[in-house]
């Protein structure tokens, strides 16, 4: 038999493209992402991107969905493991102070997601879905208003602590979380 038998297409190519897109967004910002930069980062032919994604909007939306699912899974797991309200409060502190974001890169990507979502309704839906998942995880232990306040607190502290010269430490965060829970709970 002459010629070679061709194996199956790369089954992880789409995921590699999405991971590369997130890398490119983290490095250059969502506004400066190009198919060429993503293809190069993913190590795939340029045509592969248009095979999987009709346009850049769909590619960026899929990449941001991947980010949201990754972070939401960590966020939800911490709250699901909590058996008491006190443990849930500790989980919120861990979400803020620990590594629920996974990396500083993921936090930077969340900034990009927020900024990009303000001008893109499809991506705004991704952001809303992420917020709903976070609040749903919180409402296992807290009433809806407290869950909403704690979710905003998570986002706010995460953003502030990433740029503050003196980030709020774990004990201070715990005091604020307790105050929010006591005020609303």
């Amino acid at each position: 038999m002459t010629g070679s038998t061709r194996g199956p297409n790369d089954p992880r190519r789409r995921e590699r493209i999405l991971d590369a897109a997130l890398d490119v967004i983290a490095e250059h910002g969502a506004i400066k992402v190009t198919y060429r930069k993503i293809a190069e980062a993913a190590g795939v032919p340029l045509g592969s991107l248009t095979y999987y994604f009709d346009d850049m909007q769909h590619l960026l939306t899929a990449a941001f969905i991947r980010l949201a699912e990754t972070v939401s899974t960590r966020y939800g797991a911490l709250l699901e493991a909590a058996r008491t309200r006190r443990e849930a409060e500790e989980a919120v502190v861990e979400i803020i102070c620990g590594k629920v974001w996974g990396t500083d890169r993921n936090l930077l990507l969340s900034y990009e997601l927020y900024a990009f979502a303000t001008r893109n309704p499809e991506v705004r839906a991704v952001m809303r879905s992420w917020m709903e998942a976070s609040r749903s995880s919180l409402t296992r232990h807290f009433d809806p208003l407290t869950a909403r306040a704690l979710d905003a607190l998570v986002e706010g502290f995460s953003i502030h602590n990433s740029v503050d010269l003196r980030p709020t430490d774990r004990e201070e965060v715990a005091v604020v979380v307790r105050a929010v829970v006591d005020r609303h709970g």
Side-chain angles (χ1 to χ4, degrees):
M1 177 175 177
T2 53
S4 62
T5 57
R6 189 171 174 207
N9 285 343
D10 179 358
R12 288 217 2 95
R13 183 174 282 183
R14 185 178 189 281
E15 288 75 23
R16 277 201 342 263
I17 291 169
L18 292 175
D19 290 339
L22 290 170
D23 288 342
V24 172
I25 293 166
E27 184 176 343
H28 300 283
I31 198 75
K32 292 187 178 182
V33 169
T34 65
Y35 276 136
R36 189 169 309 283
K37 288 176 185 173
I38 295 170
E40 185 178 306
V44 300
L46 189 57
S48 292
L49 276 67
T50 56
Y51 174 80
Y52 290 103
F53 304 99
D54 296 347
D55 58 30
M56 185 60 73
Q57 178 73 27
H58 289 118
L59 196 161
L60 291 175
T61 301
F64 282 133
I65 288 170
R66 187 171 178 89
L67 170 70
E69 288 172 349
T70 299
V71 176
S72 287
T73 298
R74 290 185 191 121
Y75 192 115
L78 282 169
L79 286 159
E80 191 171 314
R83 298 291 169 233
T84 66
R85 190 175 182 113
R86 182 64 151 171
E87 287 178 3
E89 289 174 23
E90 291 168 8
V92 172
V93 173
E94 179 59 24
I95 290 167
I96 295 168
C97 299
K99 287 295 183 185
V100 76
W101 292 102
T103 63
D104 290 339
R105 170 189 167 271
N106 284 349
L107 186 57
L108 173 64
L109 286 167
S110 74
Y111 298 164
E112 289 291 332
L113 172 57
Y114 271 111
F116 199 69
T118 62
R119 292 185 178 87
N120 296 277
E122 191 174 341
V123 179
R124 197 171 308 132
V126 173
M127 191 73 245
R128 285 187 187 119
S129 176
W130 186 356
M131 288 168 46
E132 288 171 16
S134 299
R135 290 176 189 164
S136 175
S137 294
L138 287 160
T139 57
R140 290 183 187 128
H141 304 282
F142 308 103
D143 66 86
L145 180 59
T146 303
R148 188 178 189 104
L150 290 171
D151 189 41
L153 194 67
V154 166
E155 299 285 335
F157 266 132
S158 298
I159 291 168
H160 284 231
N161 282 347
S162 73
V163 296
D164 201 328
L165 291 175
R166 193 191 76 72
T168 309
D169 68 29
R170 184 177 286 273
E171 291 76 29
E172 293 168 324
V173 168
V175 167
V176 175
V177 168
R178 171 52 62 106
V180 168
V181 169
D182 287 349
R183 170 90 167 124
H184 295 282

